[in-house]
Amino acid sequence: MKLTRRQKLTQTAFLTISRFTRGMTMGVRALVVDDSERVLLVRHTYVNGWYFPGGAIDPGEHAFDAVGRELTEEAGIALSGPPRLLSVFQNAHASARDHVVLFHCPDWIQKHTPNVPNREIAEIGFFPMDDLPKDMSPGTMRRIEEWRNNEVATPVW
């Protein structure tokens, strides 16, 4: 799926500003699977494709807190147990200094269903592992395959 002109400009502006205003950047992503073995994915308004819910770790925030906050903001999900750290990845697509912390979040409850589309999230869905969206981000697809096959994660998102 191609980015719209507005999405390209927004992404370019964000990445350019980030290079000058941030040192190393770090974000979180949440691997959430329901009782039917479906994985939770979101589609953002500012970039094409489906991704795990997640986002930037705020200044002074711990990654474990950030993943809980992002799940609540993006999917209306509250953690009912601690997230489990899966791995830390370099995300060279964003910048040479960007990293993604991936958590498996096995214990959660759906607090509410967010109104979508909204400013950040275009769609939310749980997808069967054998019927994932065609336009899923390559990094998200790799992480799902590694998790499903109990493989050691590659270091690059």
Side-chain angles (χ1 to χ4, degrees), residues 4 32 39 60 68 79 81 85-86 89 94 96-97 101 112 120 131 138:
T4 65
V32 175
V39 63
L79 294 176
L85 176 64
L86 290 180
F89 303 88
R97 296 182 51 82
V101 183
H112 69 278
E120 183 180 4
D131 191 23

Side-chain angles (χ1 to χ4, degrees), residues 142-143 145-154:
R142 282 191 298 276
R143 304 297 78 85
E145 290 303 315
E146 290 165 351
W147 184 76
R148 284 181 73 187
N149 297 321
N150 199 26
E151 296 173 353
V152 174
T154 58

Side-chain angles (χ1 to χ4, degrees), residues 26 28 55-70 73:
M26 188 165 275
V28 293
I57 299 172
D58 290 338
E61 184 178 39
H62 194 281
F64 284 80
D65 295 329
V67 73
R69 176 183 51 76
E70 289 289 345
E73 289 175 3

Side-chain angles (χ1 to χ4, degrees), residues 21 23 37 45 47 50-52 65 76-77 97 114 119 151:
T21 60
E37 292 297 310
T45 57
V47 65
W50 290 87
Y51 296 81
F52 293 128
D65 295 329
I77 286 178
R97 296 182 51 82
R119 188 172 53 91
E151 296 173 353

Side-chain angles (χ1 to χ4, degrees), residues 5-78:
R5 179 172 162 70
R6 182 178 179 180
Q7 287 172 322
K8 286 180 188 176
L9 289 172
T10 300
Q11 186 179 40
T12 300
F14 173 77
L15 293 175
T16 301
I17 291 168
S18 294
R19 285 186 189 111
F20 294 108
T21 60
R22 300 177 179 181
M24 183 179 81
T25 57
M26 188 165 275
V28 293
R29 294 283 177 185
L31 172 61
V32 175
V33 179
D34 69 7
D35 292 336
S36 299
E37 292 297 310
R38 299 176 306 161
V39 63
L40 175 65
L41 300 172
V42 298
R43 192 170 62 79
H44 294 95
T45 57
Y46 51 87
V47 65
N48 286 329
W50 290 87
Y51 296 81
F52 293 128
I57 299 172
D58 290 338
E61 184 178 39
H62 194 281
F64 284 80
D65 295 329
V67 73
R69 176 183 51 76
E70 289 289 345
L71 275 172
T72 300
E73 289 175 3
E74 293 186 1
I77 286 178

